[in-house]
Each structure stands twice: as C-alpha cells, then as structure tokens.
Amino acid sequence: MYKYIIKRVLLAIPTLFGAALLVFFLLRAIPGDVCEIRLAGTGLYADPAEIELCRDKLGLNDPMIVQFWDFVSGYFTWDLGDSMWTGKPITFEIGLRFKLSLQIAIMATLVAIAIAIPLGIISAVKQDTWMDYAVRAFSIAGIAIPSFWLGIIIILGLLIVTQHWFGAPWMPPIDYVSPFEDPLRNMSQLIWPAVATGYRYSAVATRMTRSALLEVLREDYVRTARSKGLMERVIINRHALKNALLPVVTIIAIEFAFLIGGLVVTEQVFNLNGLGKLFVESVGAQDFNLTQQLVMLVVLIFVITNLVVDILYAWLDPRIRYS
Amino acid sequence: MPRLLEVENLKTQFETGAGIVKAVDGISYYVDEGETVAIVGESGCGKSVGAMSILRLIPDPPGKIVDGRIIFEGRNVLELPDSEIRKIRGGQISMVFQEPMTSLNPVLTIGLQLTETMMLHLGLSQDEADKRAVELLGMVGIGEPERRLKQYPHQFSGGMRQRVMIALALSCKPKLIIADEPTTALDVTIQAQILELMRNLTKDMGVALIIITHNLGVVARYAERVIVMYAGKIVEMGTAKQVYHDPHHPYTIGLLNSVPRMDLHRGRRLVPIEGQPPDLTRLDEGCSYRPRCRWAIDKCAASFPPLEAIDGSQIAACFRKDELEKDLKSAS
Ligand SMILES: Nc1ncnc2c1ncn2[C@@H]1O[C@H](COP(=O)(O)OP(=O)(O)OP(=O)(O)O)[C@@H](O)[C@H]1O
Ligand SMILES: [Mg+2]
C-alpha cells in the first residue's frame, strides 16, 4: 500500500509538469498581455515605447524558454513570483483567498454528504414509494436550480425573515474572519454559500448513492445476508453501504476539487473574496504569472484528491488493498 | 420420523412487463426431520423460486407468494411477523446458494460473516463466536482456520468459498438446510468433495437437506426422496430408487435418458429432450409438457393431469402413467 502511494506521488510529477507546459503556452497564445491591458485597455492612446518598457520590466520580452524556466524554477526556490497586475507576491494574493475558498469547499462538501447519503439510502430502500419520489424531486430541483439563484433567494429570505421577526434586516457579514478567531461570525458568513452550493452538489451524489445502493441490494451477498436473518438496518449499514459508497466517493471528490476554484458566481452573489473571483480577474488582466499559479494550484488539488480517493478505495475495498 | 416442513399448494408469481410469470404453480411436498430430498428439473422450472419462498426471500416487487401454506414445525411461515421469520432464517433454516463467488460479501472478513450470525441466533459473545468459527472452518476442511478468518472472500477459491458457505449454513445448528445447486459453479472433482462433505455433516448433525440440482447422478447418490418439477409444477415424486429405476412421467423418463448412467448398459444412446420449456406467462389449462411429449393425447390439452399415486409413496401427474412402462418395454 505504501509503495502504491509513493508510486502515485511520483506519477503526479509528470502530470504537474504537463499542466505547467500547457497553461504556459496557452496563455501566451492569446493575443495581448498585461501591459497592453493596463496601458491601452480603456481604448486610450498608449505610447508603444511605454508598453515596451513595461514588458521589459515584467520579463515578457525574454525568450520563451527563459520565461518558462523562471516559472518552473520558482518551485525549487519556493518563490512563486509576483502578480503582474498588482505587483504583490502571488503567495500573498492566493493566501488571502485560499482559506476562504478551502473552507467553503469543505463545508459545501460536508453539506452535500449530509444531504446525499441519508437521502440516497432512503430513496433506494423505499424505492418507488412517495418518499423515493420526494427525494428524487428534491435532487432534480438541486440540479435545475442555479446556485446563484438559490443564493439570492437565501439572502432575500434572510432579509425578510429577520425584518419580520427581529424588526431589523440582517445580512451575513462580508469580511472574512478565521473560524479559529470567531467561529460564530465565520459561520454566519459562510454557511449560506456552503448550503447553496452544497445542495446543488448533493443532487448528483444523491442519485449516485441511490442507484449504487439499488444495484448492491440486488447482489447475491445481500440475499445471503437476508437468508441469515439479519435485520434490514444491519444489511444496509454493514453489508450494502460499504460496497455502494465506492462510486459515491469518486463523485464527491471530483466535486470537491472543482469547488475550490470554481465558485465564481456564488462568490459574486455572496460578495466573497475567493479564488474564483481572483481567477476571473487574473485572466481578464492577462496576469500570466497569477493565472499560471492558480491553474497549478487547482491541478495540485485534483492530484491530491485523486490520491485521497485511491486511499479511501483501498480502505473500503480489500480487493484493492491486497493487490 | 416427524414432519419438519410441509409445503401446501404454494404459488409464487412475478409481475413482469410480459405478463404474470407463474414461476411456482401449486406445489405440495414435505420434508421429514433429518431427511435429504432432491428437487430436479430444467433451468427456469421454478426450483429456486420455490426454495426461496420457504424463507420469504422472493424480491417483492416483482414477486409475490399468492397462495399456499408453508408449515415449519407446526407454524405457517407465510403468516409469521418479520421478527419471527428472521429467527427462522439462518437460525432454523439456512441456505447455500449456487454462486460461491458472489454469495459472500467482498468487503467483509470471513470471520465477521460467520460470527455475526452466531452472535445473533445463538446469543454468543464475540470471543465464543470466534472460537466456534474456528471449529466450523476446521469441520468443513479449511486449513489454518485462525488465519483464514481474518481474510476476505477474494482470497479463497470457489470450492473454499462454498465450504465457507456450508460452515455458515451449519453454524447455528439449523433443522433444515436448503442447498440451491451448491456445486453447479464448481469443477467436477470439487463438486464431489463438496457434496460428500454436505452429506456427511448433515447426517452427523441430523439436519434435513433440500438439495436442488440439475444432476440426476447427485440425486441417486445423495437423496432419499426426489421431486421432479416441470414449468412450476411437481410432475413426479417418490423415493430416489422409485424415480430413478421406475419413472412414471414422460418428463422424468426424458431426463433420465439424457444423462449417462452407470447402472445401465454402455451402448445406450443419450437422447436429449426435444423442444423448449414453455413460456411461464402463457400456460393453458392443459399439461404443460404435452408439446414435447411423445405420449401426448387429446385429453392432455383439456386439463392438467392430477398427481396420483402409483404405488406407496410414488406419485406422478400423467394420464398415461400406467401405459408408459409397457410402451418402453415393447420399444426396446
Ligand atoms: N425476479 C424475477 N422477476 C421475474 N421473473 C423471475 C424472477 N425470478 C425468477 N423469475 C422467473 O421464475 C421462473 C423460475 O425461476 P427459478 O430461478 O426458480 O428457476 P430454476 O428452476 O431455479 O432455474 P435454474 O436451474 O436456472 O436455477 C423463471 O422463468 C424466471 O424467469
Ligand atoms: Mg435456480
């Protein structure tokens, strides 16, 4: 098992290198750069000499290979460079938002798990009863409702309800406080976007739990468990669920990795300063350095999640553990 | 020997898109304590459905037991509340299934799968159950039982898994074991070992055995009585000797002619039964075997022949059961 993990970690290196190569050249294949946008972005006349000077300063006139080397060698010296737009270190720009994005991703995933697994079980066990239909309607709604719309509804709901009950409208705070400093304030800010996105992401996982469990419940070993006189609860929890969770784990993990950098619209709605917004801004400003590092961060998170999924698989399934 | 199980007019049906499948259509038989009874018949004739109905293991929907009584030790299983039927399952009646490769849970250890049943039905503690699990594995011929208990099903071969299933079936000292084609999925040498093991253990422990099989050789060697099923009905029943040497239903004769036999002369030709078993959704009121029967007459289309005694304990459902013998003799 340890050998396997080490092998997987080593295999991640070419993946990361490939991603670096791809994002580096793709960004430079797009016409324009940060200097043009800054100096001529509003359509005003810009002195070409000034633009050249800016490019010289940012290293954009260096040969491609030198620029690429600057980008990649940064990982060995722990220097990720500076943002081309704000001039601040990239570690600062990302660090500012990473905590918030990570926390929302974790919370939304927990919300999704807390909704998906119990509902998926109920809907499979009570297949084709009104409970099953209710769960399926609830999860279809989750896919159909955009989370920004749900976000707006949540905020409006909060305003109306607080106005009605407490006499004054209340909005979630908009500045991020670490959960270790002021957990209550932190939660009162982040629980809403976590619910809005978690609900949406629970939909796929609910349906996956349902169908995986239905399939497992038809397996011969479940029939064996029944023929032994076990209670239905034990059959589901001990015999069926562990088998059914394998595909669900994959779905949830992929969603988690996506949530870290992908919550652009939800961040807008809830006025959050997260990585999604930073992503859009850095691409808009053609901030090569920042965009590269953000892409690499997302790739790294995907790689790590995949590794975690593999470990979970081995934990759930002895056939993998022993091979 | 006292009666252990009595099945009366059992009917189990499935509702499917194509119509109602009459998988088991009014079968009646009994099993005495400690006795071995074989159920034979072609694929799809309702052997498994009939056996699973005894423990109410038919998936509902689409299946339903629509009529009949199943009396086990004086109580009608079909009327018991769920909590009581759970005590019978695994505790009084246990099952060994056809597919050893998939009948054990791949993600749980053999030890857990063995001990959970004993803790449930015998009220043993984990330690006591572990000890008994070691004994049981030894009994079914699995070496190094302590180590094997910590392993998972994929670390066992098919034959070994079937031994585990047998240990599991015996673990709570049941009165009856239903073995649904326990050896079909195994290779021939292992088959004999497993059957031998089942016979010896059930005889030693005085456990009754219903063994479902395609293999008439198994019947002759291991069973005291035989039930022959065709298209959801019992067409012949009697002692193994009677059915094997003196069959009175054309279908039984067909079955016997289609398998090699040690007791008959060597040059005998094997004759498969022509045609296909009928579609169980569209059976008419006549004998369901008549399209394939060389003895069929007009009367066979009018009604299903009743099961009638030949002599003593042998019964067969054929209007011409008494003419078959003469006919066969004159033909050969
Ligand atoms: N879940 C189900 N839904 C619909 N029909 C079913 C279902 N289970 C069994 N049947 C039908 O019931 C009939 C009897 O099936 P059964 O499994 O008892 O046959 P069998 O005699 O055990 O055959 P085999 O020797 O192949 O095991 C078959 O025609 C089958 O199609
Ligand atoms: Mg069967």
PDB file of all heavy atoms in Angstrom, chain B residues 57-81:
ATOM      1  N   LEU B  57     -37.865 -15.097   0.741  1.00  0.00           N
ATOM      2  CA  LEU B  57     -36.777 -14.279   0.215  1.00  0.00           C
ATOM      3  C   LEU B  57     -37.041 -13.806  -1.211  1.00  0.00           C
ATOM      4  O   LEU B  57     -36.147 -13.316  -1.889  1.00  0.00           O
ATOM      5  CB  LEU B  57     -35.463 -15.079   0.243  1.00  0.00           C
ATOM      6  CG  LEU B  57     -34.865 -15.302   1.636  1.00  0.00           C
ATOM      7  CD1 LEU B  57     -33.672 -16.246   1.559  1.00  0.00           C
ATOM      8  CD2 LEU B  57     -34.433 -13.979   2.255  1.00  0.00           C
ATOM      9  N   ILE B  58     -38.280 -13.957  -1.669  1.00  0.00           N
ATOM     10  CA  ILE B  58     -38.618 -13.517  -3.024  1.00  0.00           C
ATOM     11  C   ILE B  58     -38.676 -11.986  -3.056  1.00  0.00           C
ATOM     12  O   ILE B  58     -39.364 -11.390  -2.234  1.00  0.00           O
ATOM     13  CB  ILE B  58     -39.998 -14.081  -3.430  1.00  0.00           C
ATOM     14  CG1 ILE B  58     -39.982 -15.609  -3.376  1.00  0.00           C
ATOM     15  CG2 ILE B  58     -40.418 -13.586  -4.796  1.00  0.00           C
ATOM     16  CD1 ILE B  58     -39.080 -16.253  -4.381  1.00  0.00           C
ATOM     17  N   PRO B  59     -37.929 -11.354  -3.965  1.00  0.00           N
ATOM     18  CA  PRO B  59     -37.993  -9.886  -4.027  1.00  0.00           C
ATOM     19  C   PRO B  59     -39.390  -9.407  -4.404  1.00  0.00           C
ATOM     20  O   PRO B  59     -39.945  -9.840  -5.411  1.00  0.00           O
ATOM     21  CB  PRO B  59     -36.976  -9.517  -5.113  1.00  0.00           C
ATOM     22  CG  PRO B  59     -36.773 -10.770  -5.910  1.00  0.00           C
ATOM     23  CD  PRO B  59     -37.032 -11.913  -4.978  1.00  0.00           C
ATOM     24  N   ASP B  60     -39.961  -8.555  -3.559  1.00  0.00           N
ATOM     25  CA  ASP B  60     -41.327  -8.067  -3.775  1.00  0.00           C
ATOM     26  C   ASP B  60     -41.318  -6.555  -3.741  1.00  0.00           C
ATOM     27  O   ASP B  60     -41.018  -5.992  -2.686  1.00  0.00           O
ATOM     28  CB  ASP B  60     -42.240  -8.633  -2.679  1.00  0.00           C
ATOM     29  CG  ASP B  60     -43.645  -8.062  -2.734  1.00  0.00           C
ATOM     30  OD1 ASP B  60     -43.997  -7.470  -3.762  1.00  0.00           O
ATOM     31  OD2 ASP B  60     -44.387  -8.215  -1.747  1.00  0.00           O
ATOM     32  N   PRO B  61     -41.683  -5.854  -4.810  1.00  0.00           N
ATOM     33  CA  PRO B  61     -41.957  -6.352  -6.145  1.00  0.00           C
ATOM     34  C   PRO B  61     -40.684  -6.877  -6.808  1.00  0.00           C
ATOM     35  O   PRO B  61     -39.614  -6.534  -6.328  1.00  0.00           O
ATOM     36  CB  PRO B  61     -42.491  -5.108  -6.856  1.00  0.00           C
ATOM     37  CG  PRO B  61     -41.842  -3.948  -6.156  1.00  0.00           C
ATOM     38  CD  PRO B  61     -41.686  -4.389  -4.745  1.00  0.00           C
ATOM     39  N   PRO B  62     -40.817  -7.673  -7.853  1.00  0.00           N
ATOM     40  CA  PRO B  62     -41.993  -8.047  -8.644  1.00  0.00           C
ATOM     41  C   PRO B  62     -42.668  -9.335  -8.161  1.00  0.00           C
ATOM     42  O   PRO B  62     -43.727  -9.658  -8.653  1.00  0.00           O
ATOM     43  CB  PRO B  62     -41.404  -8.269 -10.036  1.00  0.00           C
ATOM     44  CG  PRO B  62     -40.037  -8.802  -9.765  1.00  0.00           C
ATOM     45  CD  PRO B  62     -39.583  -8.157  -8.484  1.00  0.00           C
ATOM     46  N   GLY B  63     -42.030 -10.034  -7.197  1.00  0.00           N
ATOM     47  CA  GLY B  63     -42.553 -11.363  -6.858  1.00  0.00           C
ATOM     48  C   GLY B  63     -43.596 -11.323  -5.760  1.00  0.00           C
ATOM     49  O   GLY B  63     -43.650 -10.383  -4.966  1.00  0.00           O
ATOM     50  N   LYS B  64     -44.443 -12.337  -5.712  1.00  0.00           N
ATOM     51  CA  LYS B  64     -45.419 -12.434  -4.649  1.00  0.00           C
ATOM     52  C   LYS B  64     -45.828 -13.885  -4.450  1.00  0.00           C
ATOM     53  O   LYS B  64     -46.010 -14.614  -5.410  1.00  0.00           O
ATOM     54  CB  LYS B  64     -46.657 -11.601  -4.998  1.00  0.00           C
ATOM     55  CG  LYS B  64     -47.205 -10.901  -3.784  1.00  0.00           C
ATOM     56  CD  LYS B  64     -48.276  -9.898  -4.136  1.00  0.00           C
ATOM     57  CE  LYS B  64     -48.593  -9.034  -2.937  1.00  0.00           C
ATOM     58  NZ  LYS B  64     -47.620  -7.990  -2.677  1.00  0.00           N
ATOM     59  N   ILE B  65     -45.918 -14.284  -3.178  1.00  0.00           N
ATOM     60  CA  ILE B  65     -46.467 -15.601  -2.887  1.00  0.00           C
ATOM     61  C   ILE B  65     -47.967 -15.403  -2.808  1.00  0.00           C
ATOM     62  O   ILE B  65     -48.459 -14.713  -1.917  1.00  0.00           O
ATOM     63  CB  ILE B  65     -45.919 -16.140  -1.552  1.00  0.00           C
ATOM     64  CG1 ILE B  65     -44.392 -16.280  -1.656  1.00  0.00           C
ATOM     65  CG2 ILE B  65     -46.573 -17.473  -1.198  1.00  0.00           C
ATOM     66  CD1 ILE B  65     -43.709 -16.679  -0.379  1.00  0.00           C
ATOM     67  N   VAL B  66     -48.700 -15.948  -3.785  1.00  0.00           N
ATOM     68  CA  VAL B  66     -50.118 -15.604  -3.873  1.00  0.00           C
ATOM     69  C   VAL B  66     -51.019 -16.611  -3.175  1.00  0.00           C
ATOM     70  O   VAL B  66     -52.172 -16.311  -2.882  1.00  0.00           O
ATOM     71  CB  VAL B  66     -50.577 -15.420  -5.334  1.00  0.00           C
ATOM     72  CG1 VAL B  66     -49.898 -14.212  -5.953  1.00  0.00           C
ATOM     73  CG2 VAL B  66     -50.293 -16.663  -6.158  1.00  0.00           C
ATOM     74  N   ASP B  67     -50.509 -17.808  -2.919  1.00  0.00           N
ATOM     75  CA  ASP B  67     -51.388 -18.797  -2.298  1.00  0.00           C
ATOM     76  C   ASP B  67     -50.530 -19.872  -1.638  1.00  0.00           C
ATOM     77  O   ASP B  67     -49.355 -20.027  -1.934  1.00  0.00           O
ATOM     78  CB  ASP B  67     -52.294 -19.433  -3.370  1.00  0.00           C
ATOM     79  CG  ASP B  67     -53.496 -20.138  -2.738  1.00  0.00           C
ATOM     80  OD1 ASP B  67     -53.681 -19.998  -1.505  1.00  0.00           O
ATOM     81  OD2 ASP B  67     -54.234 -20.819  -3.466  1.00  0.00           O
ATOM     82  N   GLY B  68     -51.141 -20.616  -0.729  1.00  0.00           N
ATOM     83  CA  GLY B  68     -50.485 -21.776  -0.141  1.00  0.00           C
ATOM     84  C   GLY B  68     -50.095 -21.579   1.303  1.00  0.00           C
ATOM     85  O   GLY B  68     -50.271 -20.495   1.882  1.00  0.00           O
ATOM     86  N   ARG B  69     -49.602 -22.673   1.878  1.00  0.00           N
ATOM     87  CA  ARG B  69     -49.124 -22.632   3.253  1.00  0.00           C
ATOM     88  C   ARG B  69     -47.764 -23.305   3.313  1.00  0.00           C
ATOM     89  O   ARG B  69     -47.484 -24.242   2.570  1.00  0.00           O
ATOM     90  CB  ARG B  69     -50.085 -23.378   4.177  1.00  0.00           C
ATOM     91  CG  ARG B  69     -51.514 -22.847   4.104  1.00  0.00           C
ATOM     92  CD  ARG B  69     -52.299 -23.185   5.343  1.00  0.00           C
ATOM     93  NE  ARG B  69     -52.295 -24.609   5.652  1.00  0.00           N
ATOM     94  CZ  ARG B  69     -52.570 -25.092   6.870  1.00  0.00           C
ATOM     95  NH1 ARG B  69     -52.845 -24.266   7.866  1.00  0.00           N
ATOM     96  NH2 ARG B  69     -52.560 -26.399   7.085  1.00  0.00           N
ATOM     97  N   ILE B  70     -46.910 -22.815   4.195  1.00  0.00           N
ATOM     98  CA  ILE B  70     -45.616 -23.449   4.398  1.00  0.00           C
ATOM     99  C   ILE B  70     -45.500 -23.705   5.895  1.00  0.00           C
ATOM    100  O   ILE B  70     -45.267 -22.776   6.676  1.00  0.00           O
ATOM    101  CB  ILE B  70     -44.471 -22.550   3.900  1.00  0.00           C
ATOM    102  CG1 ILE B  70     -44.550 -22.411   2.373  1.00  0.00           C
ATOM    103  CG2 ILE B  70     -43.120 -23.136   4.289  1.00  0.00           C
ATOM    104  CD1 ILE B  70     -43.630 -21.380   1.799  1.00  0.00           C
ATOM    105  N   ILE B  71     -45.736 -24.940   6.285  1.00  0.00           N
ATOM    106  CA  ILE B  71     -45.767 -25.241   7.712  1.00  0.00           C
ATOM    107  C   ILE B  71     -44.394 -25.743   8.131  1.00  0.00           C
ATOM    108  O   ILE B  71     -43.931 -26.789   7.669  1.00  0.00           O
ATOM    109  CB  ILE B  71     -46.813 -26.333   8.028  1.00  0.00           C
ATOM    110  CG1 ILE B  71     -48.154 -25.994   7.379  1.00  0.00           C
ATOM    111  CG2 ILE B  71     -46.948 -26.533   9.539  1.00  0.00           C
ATOM    112  CD1 ILE B  71     -48.851 -24.817   7.981  1.00  0.00           C
ATOM    113  N   PHE B  72     -43.716 -24.977   8.983  1.00  0.00           N
ATOM    114  CA  PHE B  72     -42.426 -25.399   9.508  1.00  0.00           C
ATOM    115  C   PHE B  72     -42.570 -25.574  11.015  1.00  0.00           C
ATOM    116  O   PHE B  72     -42.906 -24.631  11.715  1.00  0.00           O
ATOM    117  CB  PHE B  72     -41.358 -24.361   9.174  1.00  0.00           C
ATOM    118  CG  PHE B  72     -39.997 -24.723   9.700  1.00  0.00           C
ATOM    119  CD1 PHE B  72     -39.262 -25.751   9.119  1.00  0.00           C
ATOM    120  CD2 PHE B  72     -39.459 -24.050  10.788  1.00  0.00           C
ATOM    121  CE1 PHE B  72     -38.011 -26.096   9.601  1.00  0.00           C
ATOM    122  CE2 PHE B  72     -38.207 -24.391  11.272  1.00  0.00           C
ATOM    123  CZ  PHE B  72     -37.488 -25.419  10.687  1.00  0.00           C
ATOM    124  N   GLU B  73     -42.363 -26.772  11.477  1.00  0.00           N
ATOM    125  CA  GLU B  73     -42.528 -27.090  12.891  1.00  0.00           C
ATOM    126  C   GLU B  73     -43.858 -26.576  13.429  1.00  0.00           C
ATOM    127  O   GLU B  73     -43.920 -25.956  14.489  1.00  0.00           O
ATOM    128  CB  GLU B  73     -41.376 -26.518  13.707  1.00  0.00           C
ATOM    129  CG  GLU B  73     -40.059 -27.162  13.340  1.00  0.00           C
ATOM    130  CD  GLU B  73     -39.011 -26.935  14.401  1.00  0.00           C
ATOM    131  OE1 GLU B  73     -38.749 -25.758  14.689  1.00  0.00           O
ATOM    132  OE2 GLU B  73     -38.489 -27.916  14.938  1.00  0.00           O
ATOM    133  N   GLY B  74     -44.907 -26.825  12.670  1.00  0.00           N
ATOM    134  CA  GLY B  74     -46.242 -26.503  13.158  1.00  0.00           C
ATOM    135  C   GLY B  74     -46.706 -25.077  12.929  1.00  0.00           C
ATOM    136  O   GLY B  74     -47.855 -24.762  13.202  1.00  0.00           O
ATOM    137  N   ARG B  75     -45.806 -24.210  12.434  1.00  0.00           N
ATOM    138  CA  ARG B  75     -46.243 -22.825  12.223  1.00  0.00           C
ATOM    139  C   ARG B  75     -46.203 -22.471  10.744  1.00  0.00           C
ATOM    140  O   ARG B  75     -45.295 -22.881  10.025  1.00  0.00           O
ATOM    141  CB  ARG B  75     -45.328 -21.859  12.986  1.00  0.00           C
ATOM    142  CG  ARG B  75     -45.460 -21.972  14.488  1.00  0.00           C
ATOM    143  CD  ARG B  75     -44.724 -20.841  15.158  1.00  0.00           C
ATOM    144  NE  ARG B  75     -43.297 -20.866  14.842  1.00  0.00           N
ATOM    145  CZ  ARG B  75     -42.467 -19.882  15.186  1.00  0.00           C
ATOM    146  NH1 ARG B  75     -42.903 -18.832  15.822  1.00  0.00           N
ATOM    147  NH2 ARG B  75     -41.187 -19.974  14.894  1.00  0.00           N
ATOM    148  N   ASN B  76     -47.186 -21.684  10.294  1.00  0.00           N
ATOM    149  CA  ASN B  76     -47.204 -21.255   8.903  1.00  0.00           C
ATOM    150  C   ASN B  76     -46.255 -20.074   8.710  1.00  0.00           C
ATOM    151  O   ASN B  76     -46.520 -18.958   9.152  1.00  0.00           O
ATOM    152  CB  ASN B  76     -48.626 -20.863   8.494  1.00  0.00           C
ATOM    153  CG  ASN B  76     -48.714 -20.539   7.009  1.00  0.00           C
ATOM    154  OD1 ASN B  76     -47.696 -20.521   6.309  1.00  0.00           O
ATOM    155  ND2 ASN B  76     -49.915 -20.288   6.544  1.00  0.00           N
ATOM    156  N   VAL B  77     -45.142 -20.358   8.031  1.00  0.00           N
ATOM    157  CA  VAL B  77     -44.105 -19.345   7.808  1.00  0.00           C
ATOM    158  C   VAL B  77     -44.674 -18.098   7.118  1.00  0.00           C
ATOM    159  O   VAL B  77     -44.262 -16.975   7.389  1.00  0.00           O
ATOM    160  CB  VAL B  77     -42.988 -19.962   6.935  1.00  0.00           C
ATOM    161  CG1 VAL B  77     -42.005 -18.905   6.481  1.00  0.00           C
ATOM    162  CG2 VAL B  77     -42.278 -21.060   7.700  1.00  0.00           C
ATOM    163  N   LEU B  78     -45.645 -18.310   6.244  1.00  0.00           N
ATOM    164  CA  LEU B  78     -46.161 -17.186   5.460  1.00  0.00           C
ATOM    165  C   LEU B  78     -46.963 -16.212   6.311  1.00  0.00           C
ATOM    166  O   LEU B  78     -47.238 -15.099   5.888  1.00  0.00           O
ATOM    167  CB  LEU B  78     -47.034 -17.701   4.311  1.00  0.00           C
ATOM    168  CG  LEU B  78     -46.306 -18.599   3.303  1.00  0.00           C
ATOM    169  CD1 LEU B  78     -47.242 -19.014   2.192  1.00  0.00           C
ATOM    170  CD2 LEU B  78     -45.088 -17.884   2.732  1.00  0.00           C
ATOM    171  N   GLU B  79     -47.353 -16.623   7.512  1.00  0.00           N
ATOM    172  CA  GLU B  79     -48.149 -15.730   8.355  1.00  0.00           C
ATOM    173  C   GLU B  79     -47.353 -15.167   9.530  1.00  0.00           C
ATOM    174  O   GLU B  79     -47.890 -14.404  10.327  1.00  0.00           O
ATOM    175  CB  GLU B  79     -49.384 -16.484   8.886  1.00  0.00           C
ATOM    176  CG  GLU B  79     -50.438 -16.639   7.814  1.00  0.00           C
ATOM    177  CD  GLU B  79     -51.548 -17.585   8.227  1.00  0.00           C
ATOM    178  OE1 GLU B  79     -51.461 -18.169   9.331  1.00  0.00           O
ATOM    179  OE2 GLU B  79     -52.493 -17.764   7.447  1.00  0.00           O
ATOM    180  N   LEU B  80     -46.074 -15.539   9.618  1.00  0.00           N
ATOM    181  CA  LEU B  80     -45.290 -15.056  10.761  1.00  0.00           C
ATOM    182  C   LEU B  80     -44.947 -13.583  10.600  1.00  0.00           C
ATOM    183  O   LEU B  80     -44.739 -13.104   9.486  1.00  0.00           O
ATOM    184  CB  LEU B  80     -43.985 -15.854  10.877  1.00  0.00           C
ATOM    185  CG  LEU B  80     -44.129 -17.318  11.264  1.00  0.00           C
ATOM    186  CD1 LEU B  80     -42.753 -17.968  11.287  1.00  0.00           C
ATOM    187  CD2 LEU B  80     -44.777 -17.444  12.629  1.00  0.00           C
ATOM    188  N   PRO B  81     -44.859 -12.838  11.712  1.00  0.00           N
ATOM    189  CA  PRO B  81     -44.364 -11.461  11.616  1.00  0.00           C
ATOM    190  C   PRO B  81     -42.868 -11.470  11.254  1.00  0.00           C
ATOM    191  O   PRO B  81     -42.195 -12.477  11.430  1.00  0.00           O
ATOM    192  CB  PRO B  81     -44.572 -10.909  13.028  1.00  0.00           C
ATOM    193  CG  PRO B  81     -44.646 -12.105  13.916  1.00  0.00           C
ATOM    194  CD  PRO B  81     -45.210 -13.216  13.077  1.00  0.00           C
TER     195      PRO B  81
END
